[in-house]
Amino acid sequence: HPSFVALRTGEVVNNVVMGVLKDQADDYLWLNITAVPQLSPGEKTPSQVFTTMEDVTDRKRMEAGLNEAKKEAEAANAAKSRFLANISHEIRTPMNVIIGMTELVLDSELCSEHKEYVGMIRDSAASLLDMINDILDFSKIEAHRLELIKIQFDLHREVKKVASAYTILAKSKGLKLSYSIDEQIPINVIGDPARLNQILVNLIGNAIKFTEKGEIIISIRLDEPVDENNIAVLFSISDTGIGIPAEKIDWLFEVFNQMDFSGIYKYEGTGLGLAIAKNLVELMGGSIKVASIENRGSIFYFSVPFQVPEIQELTAEDNSSAQTVEDGGANQLSFQGKLFKILLAEDKPMNRRLATLMLEKMGCLVVTVNDGKEVLEKLKAERFDLILMDVQMPKIDGLEATVMIRNSNDPVLREIPIIAMTAYSAQEDQERFLLAGMNYFISKPIGSEELYNAINQVMTERKAMKIEDSVLPRDLPDMLNRIDGNIELLAELVEMFFEDYPLDIYKLTEALEHKNIKNLQLVIHGLKGELGNMGMTTAYKIACELDNLVKAGKLEDVPAMIRELITEVKIMEIFFAQPGWQNRIDH
């Protein structure tokens, strides 16, 4: 009892005590008891205590009820998230076959009537997929779980890619689609290209949807240079369509709101697209507005900020101020002038057949397996230029197989590019794939163009990361100094490090996914020690920054920093994987 504790210690005690009510064994009485020791003149220890008791039973019952309600709400929210992830996966898997196969059929010899029928199937499937994506995105926004990534990307190319994708649809309606981009806008910016793409797709798609004749004009210009490292870019999409009545504009971006088209079914939709676009723009730190005249057309414009990297590494393919997008030709893949050999891991027969047909059409040699276990067995017998890996497979899934490959003793095998093929669309899943060692991911349903671009990008990046014979890693002098120039010892230490390193990255991924701060700090602490002892100074500094982020609770910035660490260590790994690297060091 608090009173006895106060007498014994001579200190004030405040505590909440629970007791069973007399004759009511199933109920409780909660008392908040404060015991204050009383010292009489000349006493060194208290001989009595002044005790007050407050009945807090009602408050405790209310708190218990609130806690229970909170747990139920969190459980319901978690169940909802799991359901959405699972239903997304299950729907995307057959949609992958429907859209992919119709795309292949449309590329074959068909009479005009059959081509029209198959085109209708493809368009309907694409519309269904758009609705699925809208519902999933809205659910994430509602739960405050939609997060942005920050990576460097080519803004000019991203705009051209989106505009090119809508050229055929615009032409099919007799519309002209053109775009212009301000030459003052840097080619490379830092932001979230996928979400920018989503906003543009929504607005351009709507412009084409609500326009029967005329043109769609996409304009991108510099809004304001905030400072030398940051800019704001203004995007505008104008059309000559049906326009929006003045009284409807104020609620256009609200959820589930849609104009009444008096039974014109060709304009139906979920009513989520513009609401999601508005949320994405605001999440990026920007704003979106619309101006419209009924029966004359509309212009949607949004401004978003981007960071500007110090070094502009790439050049624009076409930097003319105004362009009309034309259709591209067939894509053919080749690797170093020879037949491109791909290992395809997919457990669903229809998906396996679809991907094989697409790859063979690109001129690739394809070897197929059913699961991760067969991947590992096949890699022991043959060499491949690239692996296309489904994530969810029996026996050994794609993630486990990737970790095993990255942890292999074979330096050539450790470097093989791996692209994830996944029906999961959540950002946290995508981060998990990349951090586990996969080079890229493509979400199902997969189109030929998307597949080609993914492979081409991965192989281009791999080629760019090859270290020239005249270039040595910048931290090599530090590494040699720590071991007094003993190259044999360095070779031994490097081998030991790169055996354990992939597992460390996998543990980081797991800890981050479950928001396990203790495990995150434990793995990072171990990595810091290893990198510091090895003399990998640059990677060590990144690991220290990573540690500081975790300590500060800034988990949203951790994935990007882990990717930076992986890139830095990858440069070292490529060098030490080269035969005869010891001979390139100036003794």
Side-chain angles (χ1 to χ4, degrees):
H1 192 281
S3 299
F4 296 110
V5 176
L7 279 174
R8 187 174 65 251
T9 63
E11 297 176 353
V12 175
V13 178
N14 182 274
N15 200 4
V16 176
V17 176
M18 179 188 73
V20 181
L21 289 175
K22 187 178 181 181
D23 300 328
Q24 296 184 40
D26 60 341
D27 204 352
Y28 299 98
L29 177 71
W30 293 90
L31 297 174
N32 184 24
I33 302 177
T34 302
V36 182
Q38 303 293 307
L39 277 173
S40 298
E43 287 185 338
K44 293 183 178 179
T45 57
S47 58
Q48 58 184 355
V49 63
F50 180 75
T51 303
T52 61
M53 291 180 288
E54 177 188 6
D55 187 345
V56 293
T57 305
D58 290 341
R59 191 183 76 193
K60 294 295 291 184
R61 287 173 181 167
M62 185 182 296
E63 288 175 357
L66 288 173
N67 287 334
E68 189 64 30
K70 182 183 176 185
K71 288 179 183 178
E72 290 177 2
E74 289 173 347
N77 192 46
K80 175 184 171 184
S81 296
R82 285 195 301 271
F83 170 77
L84 286 170
N86 290 335
I87 202 69
S88 170
H89 180 275
E90 294 305 320
I91 292 174
R92 285 171 184 274
T93 298
M95 289 290 288
N96 181 53
V97 178
I98 295 169
I99 294 177
M101 284 299 183
T102 52
E103 184 180 314
L104 289 173
V105 172
L106 284 169
D107 285 341
S108 64
E109 294 294 330
L110 292 175
C111 68
S112 59
E113 185 179 11
H114 289 169
K115 184 161 284 193
E116 181 185 358
Y117 295 161
V118 177
M120 290 169 66
I121 296 172
R122 179 199 60 191
D123 294 343
S124 296
S127 296
L128 178 59
L129 185 63
D130 287 342
M131 285 192 286
I132 294 166
N133 290 334
D134 281 350
I135 293 168
L136 290 172
D137 280 340
F138 173 68
S139 176
K140 291 176 188 175
I141 291 169
E142 191 181 38
H144 304 288
R145 291 182 59 247
L146 197 149
E147 297 179 357
L148 299 178
I149 61 171
K150 284 190 175 182
I151 60 172
Q152 182 173 314
F153 69 97
D154 185 331
L155 179 59
H156 293 239
R157 185 167 57 189
E158 196 69 29
V159 172
K160 182 177 180 180
K161 182 176 71 175
V162 177
S164 298
Y166 277 93
T167 301
I168 297 175
L169 180 58
K171 283 185 175 181
S172 68
K173 293 186 69 175
L175 304 173
K176 179 183 178 183
L177 188 148
S178 62
Y179 80 93
S180 64
I181 184 164
D182 191 341
E183 294 181 3
Q184 296 183 59
I185 297 175
I187 294 168
N188 290 305
V189 296
I190 296 173
D192 191 328
R195 294 303 181 183
L196 174 63
N197 182 297
Q198 186 176 354
I199 297 166
L200 290 171
V201 162
N202 186 288
L203 297 179
I204 297 170
N206 276 354
I208 296 173
K209 177 180 178 181
F210 296 112
T211 303
E212 298 302 322
K213 61 181 180 178
E215 62 180 344
I216 313 297
I217 300 174
I218 306 163
S219 174
I220 300 95
R221 63 180 177 84
L222 197 62
D223 193 7
E224 53 179 315
V226 181
D227 55 49
E228 59 181 7
N229 298 318
N230 297 274
I231 59 170
V233 179
L234 182 66
F235 299 80
S236 67
I237 295 90
S238 64
D239 62 63
T240 54
I242 62 174
I244 305 163
E247 66 273 13
K248 302 291 186 182
I249 288 180
D250 289 341
W251 55 260
L252 192 62
F253 293 102
E254 293 180 14
V255 176
F256 301 120
N257 273 336
Q258 195 176 46
M259 287 173 58
D260 180 9
F261 294 107
S262 303
I264 305 176
Y265 294 106
K266 63 182 177 179
Y267 293 142
E268 286 191 341
T270 60
L272 288 172
L274 288 177
I276 291 170
K278 181 176 184 289
N279 275 278
L280 289 176
V281 169
E282 291 176 348
L283 199 58
M284 290 178 175
S287 59
I288 184 169
K289 296 180 181 179
V290 58
S292 183
I293 300 176
E294 194 170 5
N295 299 318
R296 295 281 299 277
S298 305
I299 176 168
F300 285 81
Y301 49 98
F302 65 96
S303 178
V304 290
F306 294 102
Q307 288 178 265
V308 181
E310 293 181 7
I311 301 174
Q312 292 288 317
E313 298 175 353
L314 302 177
T315 58
E317 296 175 3
D318 188 347
N319 207 27
S320 59
S321 59
Q323 302 171 55
T324 299
V325 185
E326 299 296 338
D327 301 339
N331 294 315
Q332 291 291 311
L333 285 166
S334 64
F335 180 54
Q336 296 179 348
K338 64 182 179 64
L339 193 64
F340 202 93
K341 188 176 179 183
I342 293 178
L343 178 61
L344 171 63
E346 169 64 71
D347 63 313
K348 297 285 192 299
M350 287 189 295
N351 285 339
R352 192 164 59 243
R353 177 61 176 154
L354 171 62
T356 300
L357 288 171
M358 288 181 175
L359 292 167
E360 287 178 345
K361 192 172 181 181
M362 296 175 197
C364 300
L365 175 63
V366 185
V367 177
T368 62
V369 291
N370 298 308
D371 55 58
K373 183 180 179 182
E374 292 184 14
V375 168
L376 300 173
E377 292 171 353
K378 186 63 69 174
L379 290 174
K380 292 178 183 177
E382 297 181 51
R383 291 293 187 191
F384 295 89
D385 298 317
L386 180 138
I387 302 173
L388 277 172
M389 185 94 75
D390 185 32
V391 173
Q392 193 175 56
M393 294 186 292
K395 297 181 182 177
I396 297 177
D397 66 25
L399 206 60
E400 292 174 295
T402 298
V403 172
M404 292 179 183
I405 291 168
R406 295 297 180 235
N407 206 25
S408 168
N409 292 326
D410 185 341
V412 176
L413 192 57
R414 285 202 304 266
E415 288 304 308
I416 188 169
I418 301 175
I419 297 177
M421 299 186 300
T422 172
Y424 289 110
S425 60
Q427 184 66 40
E428 54 267 29
D429 290 321
Q430 296 165 2
E431 295 283 0
R432 191 159 51 96
F433 305 150
L434 295 176
L435 294 177
M438 292 174 166
N439 301 78
Y440 202 80
F441 66 88
I442 43 180
S443 298
K444 297 176 182 177
I446 299 167
S448 297
E449 189 75 20
E450 183 184 12
L451 185 58
Y452 170 85
N453 289 336
I455 296 172
N456 191 51
Q457 179 170 331
V458 167
M459 298 311 295
T460 301
E461 288 176 354
R462 185 170 185 259
K463 184 179 179 181
M465 290 188 72
K466 292 290 184 182
I467 298 176
E468 299 295 334
D469 288 344
S470 59
V471 179
L472 297 176
R474 54 186 166 182
D475 290 335
L476 189 58
D478 289 344
M479 299 177 74
L480 289 168
N481 287 337
R482 296 187 72 83
I483 54 173
D484 296 326
N486 189 331
I487 296 179
E488 290 183 1
L489 177 58
L490 178 60
E492 184 180 342
L493 293 174
V494 164
E495 183 179 355
M496 291 170 62
F497 174 79
F498 285 113
E499 280 183 5
D500 296 337
Y501 166 74
L503 187 58
D504 289 335
I505 295 299
Y506 181 73
K507 288 178 180 177
L508 270 182
T509 308
E510 286 289 297
L512 182 61
E513 181 186 0
H514 295 97
K515 292 183 171 55
N516 190 324
I517 306 297
K518 184 178 179 181
N519 284 355
L520 264 176
Q521 291 179 325
L522 192 64
V523 178
I524 293 170
H525 179 75
L527 265 175
K528 280 170 56 181
E530 291 175 355
L531 292 168
N533 291 333
M534 285 288 295
M536 293 185 183
T537 310
T538 306
Y540 171 76
K541 290 178 181 177
I542 296 172
C544 289
E545 290 182 39
L546 190 58
D547 193 24
N548 292 334
L549 286 175
V550 173
K551 287 177 180 176
K554 297 180 179 179
L555 295 188
E556 66 277 6
D557 297 329
V558 168
M561 191 59 67
I562 293 177
R563 284 197 298 271
E564 192 174 332
L565 176 66
I566 290 172
T567 301
E568 181 60 36
V569 175
K570 179 68 69 178
I571 293 171
M572 306 294 292
E573 188 175 9
I574 290 172
F575 172 77
F576 289 113
Q578 295 178 82
W581 61 265
Q582 298 91 334
N583 300 325
R584 294 177 51 201
I585 299 174
D586 185 4
H587 295 273

